[in-house]
Amino acid sequence: MATDPAELIHRAQAWLAEDPDPETRDELSKLIEAEDTDELATRFAGTLQFGTAGLRGELGAGPMRMNRSVVIRAAAGLAAYLKAQGDGSGLVVIGYDARHKSADFARDTAAVMVGAGLRAAVLPRPLPTPVLAFAIRHLGAVAGVEVTASHNPPRDNGYKVYLGDGSQIVPPADGEIAAEIAAVRSLADVPRPESGWETLDETVLDAYLARTDAVLTPGSPRDTKVVYTPMHGVGRDALVAAFARAGFPAPTVVAEQAEPDPDFPTVAFPNPEEPGAMDLAFATARDRGAAGVDIVIANDPDADRCAVAVPAPGTPDGWRMLRGDEVGALLAAHLVSKRASGTFATTIVSSQLMSRIAAAASLPYEETLTGFKWLARVDGLRYAFEEALGYCVDPEGVRDKDGITAALLITELAAELKQSGRTLTDLLDDLALEFGLHATDQLSVRVEDLSLIADAMHRLRAQPPTALAGLSVTRADDLNRGTETLPPTDGLRYYLSGSPEAGIEAARVVVRPSGTEPKLKCYLEVVVPVASAEALPEARTKADTTLASIKADLSEAAGI
């Protein structure tokens, strides 16, 4: 890291000389003129690191920000990697969302690919990430790039890379691409023609939408009434079209959040999981009044995630957001009822309920590290989910999470239950009675200083807790060492003993730094046996009390 003011100014001037974007050139010029060495030191502290999430960061000038210079280098590195793999004349498909600079980053990527001798095709307009994941396999591409920061704040953007199998990159490909990026010495060495790539037409979206029908059972009920929000993202057109094709009633779209808007003006964070993000959707559902609404559905801004809320009479909003673990279990049970075959998979931070659902149906089950880059690679995969609202219900079509097809499938399930006078909540109760109440919660701490996360992980490794909420830690796994089935990752996993006196069967905690946001995330699960439907309220109270106690003890142990 350069700390000498003169060296910082020199590095900034060298970067400025290459920067092809008038906006970031102006931004950097002003920092140089003002001799703002504190800000320049932040911008030039290193380079934005390319990893298994690709790139993601705040927009702005300099190598530690997302900008056209960084994207051109990333594209050149990817092109060099593909050529080294023998795919130097292959097709690269490029998609993008509606965030600031996304279209520019997509265009730059296409130019770099063509300049390197590859073929490039850009999706016709901002579209959901699952459309890009589908297009890679549909068009026989050797790789794909999606320009998106998913549900990050408005100031961020990102760059997600897929290979020809339609799955996101994993090691060692990420490291090899990163090495090629580092080898790019000057942007002048990267040919960027003004044309030569293809802009795809709507037929690629039509092919994706035609595939969405595959997740539904022909002749199944379709009368679910839905309120839907795309959360200022790109999901609306695809979801509404998919619902129309399937024969569902047109969803009521939340008007204030219907149009793509990179500033996300109605939400603090454009993530359905964040407090307040669903307020407008719930208000729209309440406004429907006598017309009735069965469920509320939300996509995140690039529509690869799907959130579901159910009526909750007596609560302030009148609605309750289902946890990703709950939706994951509901979809698993629905697929079992459809006699689905193949492997069911989830991640080590998601609820273990699906392992019991799969076992009861005699279906293979696997757990992977966090992220669909791992889930998509499970052999014989039929269904995968992760607690962060990600669901893959058609792996032959999209080997990634897909918020559009997941919305279709949960809406079909709601319709089937409605036909017999039941609800999603009733089915969750059934699963609790059959397999035990699997209650989950999360302790998530957002930080400005990333060293706080490293300090918390160090503290837990140096002084691991021996008990949480009065439950003994019976096994502690440092996931840095890997396991027989998992590659190494920065994480800790604790298995807790049950307590017959407290009515707790078992509990589990997983702690890990987020891969995409400045957060430390702790995933908690408690299993409570349930003898009868009448015992469910007491079981939920026990679970909530125990989860709160685990959260408090874990927070103290981690010093957060």
Side-chain angles (χ1 to χ4, degrees):
M1 175 178 173
T3 54
D4 177 65
E7 171 63 15
L8 272 174
I9 296 293
H10 175 74
R11 289 184 62 198
Q13 289 171 332
W15 185 273
L16 178 64
E18 288 195 329
D19 192 337
D21 189 330
E23 290 185 27
T24 46
R25 283 179 60 82
D26 181 60
E27 178 185 324
L28 189 53
S29 293
K30 289 176 179 175
L31 292 174
I32 294 170
E33 289 168 13
E35 297 185 352
D36 188 345
T37 52
D38 287 343
E39 182 62 21
L40 288 172
T42 301
R43 305 290 186 100
F44 288 84
T47 58
L48 209 56
Q49 291 300 300
F50 185 94
T52 50
L55 294 168
R56 195 175 290 189
E58 185 176 346
L59 290 162
M64 288 295 291
R65 297 287 186 268
M66 282 295 296
N67 51 65
R68 291 182 61 197
S69 297
V70 165
V71 164
I72 289 166
R73 289 174 179 273
L78 174 59
Y81 168 82
L82 293 172
K83 292 169 80 170
Q85 299 296 310
D87 293 325
S89 61
L91 173 67
V92 178
V93 188
I94 302 147
Y96 58 103
D97 65 11
R99 284 179 178 263
H100 293 295
K101 297 290 183 182
S102 286
D104 294 338
F105 295 166
R107 193 179 309 109
D108 282 331
T109 300
V112 171
M113 295 303 159
V114 171
L118 290 116
R119 293 177 293 126
V122 183
L123 294 185
R125 53 191 169 90
L127 287 169
T129 293
V131 177
L132 180 277
F134 166 83
I136 295 167
R137 290 159 63 92
H138 179 66
L139 298 174
V142 297
V145 171
E146 177 69 18
V147 180
T148 181
S150 188
H151 56 280
N152 275 39
R155 65 179 181 270
D156 290 359
N157 212 329
Y159 198 82
K160 187 182 293 188
V161 175
Y162 298 75
L163 294 182
D165 62 355
S167 300
Q168 298 174 47
I169 54 168
V170 294
D174 58 340
E176 293 169 6
I177 296 170
E180 296 286 4
I181 294 170
V184 178
R185 301 185 66 179
S186 167
L187 293 192
D189 299 332
V190 182
R192 302 195 307 279
E194 294 294 323
S195 62
W197 57 89
E198 178 186 3
T199 300
L200 297 167
D201 60 22
E202 296 291 318
T203 57
V204 67
L205 177 60
D206 293 342
Y208 166 80
L209 290 171
R211 177 79 201 186
T212 61
D213 294 350
V215 306
L216 302 175
T217 300
S220 62
R222 305 284 164 98
D223 65 343
T224 315
K225 295 177 182 177
V226 174
V227 163
Y228 167 71
T229 175
M231 210 148 285
H232 299 296
V234 298
R236 180 193 61 185
D237 291 352
L239 184 134
V240 170
F243 269 55
R245 285 183 60 94
F248 288 113
T252 299
V253 180
V254 177
E256 301 93 331
Q257 298 174 333
E259 296 296 329
D261 188 330
D263 294 320
F264 306 105
T266 68
V267 289
F269 289 95
N271 178 353
E273 294 178 294
E274 293 284 348
M278 296 291 287
D279 286 356
L280 285 172
F282 295 158
T284 301
R286 289 194 299 271
D287 288 346
R288 297 287 293 168
V293 177
D294 297 310
I295 56 174
V296 173
I297 289 176
N299 287 137
D300 66 340
D302 70 326
D304 63 351
R305 300 169 193 255
C306 176
V308 181
V310 295
T315 63
D317 287 323
W319 290 85
R320 180 176 81 86
M321 270 280 288
L322 296 181
R323 293 188 174 276
D325 287 320
E326 292 177 304
V327 177
L330 288 169
L331 291 175
H334 188 38
L335 289 168
V336 165
S337 74
K338 289 170 169 278
R339 295 181 172 80
S341 61
T343 301
F344 281 31
T346 190
T347 70
I348 59 170
V349 302
S350 302
S351 171
Q352 300 166 97
L353 173 56
M354 194 168 75
S355 67
R356 299 189 178 188
I357 294 172
S362 301
L363 290 171
Y365 170 81
E366 283 196 30
E367 287 184 12
T368 72
L369 294 183
T370 308
F372 267 84
K373 57 184 176 284
W374 300 108
L375 286 170
R377 286 175 162 74
V378 168
D379 287 341
L381 182 66
R382 175 59 186 87
Y383 168 61
F385 90 92
E386 62 179 0
E387 53 72 41
L389 310 183
Y391 316 95
C392 174
V393 300
D394 178 24
E396 292 306 307
V398 176
R399 296 195 75 80
D400 198 4
K401 53 186 176 290
D402 183 346
I404 306 297
T405 49
L408 286 173
L409 198 59
I410 198 72
T411 303
E412 178 188 58
L413 174 58
E416 288 187 0
L417 291 166
K418 181 180 178 179
Q419 190 177 59
S420 55
R422 306 179 73 241
T423 65
L424 296 178
T425 303
D426 293 330
L427 180 53
L428 285 172
D429 289 349
D430 291 349
L431 295 175
L433 287 167
E434 184 173 0
F435 301 111
L437 175 65
H438 287 63
T440 58
D441 200 357
Q442 192 177 123
L443 172 62
S444 181
V445 182
R446 184 182 293 272
V447 300
E448 293 293 330
D449 181 357
L450 289 175
S451 69
L452 296 176
I453 294 176
D455 290 347
M457 295 298 290
H458 175 75
R459 189 177 291 109
L460 289 171
R461 287 188 167 103
Q463 295 181 300
T466 57
L468 295 168
L471 304 174
S472 299
V473 176
T474 58
R475 177 176 144 198
D477 298 334
D478 187 341
L479 300 176
N480 251 342
R481 303 185 182 117
T483 71
E484 289 183 5
T485 58
L486 300 172
T489 189
D490 188 9
L492 298 163
R493 179 171 57 185
Y494 306 113
Y495 290 96
L496 311 181
S497 65
S499 171
E501 301 81 15
I504 305 296
E505 179 183 324
R508 187 195 64 178
V509 174
V510 180
V511 184
R512 60 179 281 273
S514 170
T516 57
E517 297 178 272
K519 285 182 176 181
L520 181 68
K521 303 183 86 169
C522 311
Y523 306 83
L524 325 175
E525 181 170 33
V526 170
V527 183
V528 181
V530 186
S532 65
E534 292 72 27
L536 270 168
E538 182 184 356
R540 290 198 173 92
T541 300
K542 285 179 185 175
D544 290 344
T545 301
T546 305
L547 287 168
S549 184
I550 291 174
K551 193 183 292 189
D553 289 354
L554 184 63
S555 181
E556 182 178 351
I560 52 175

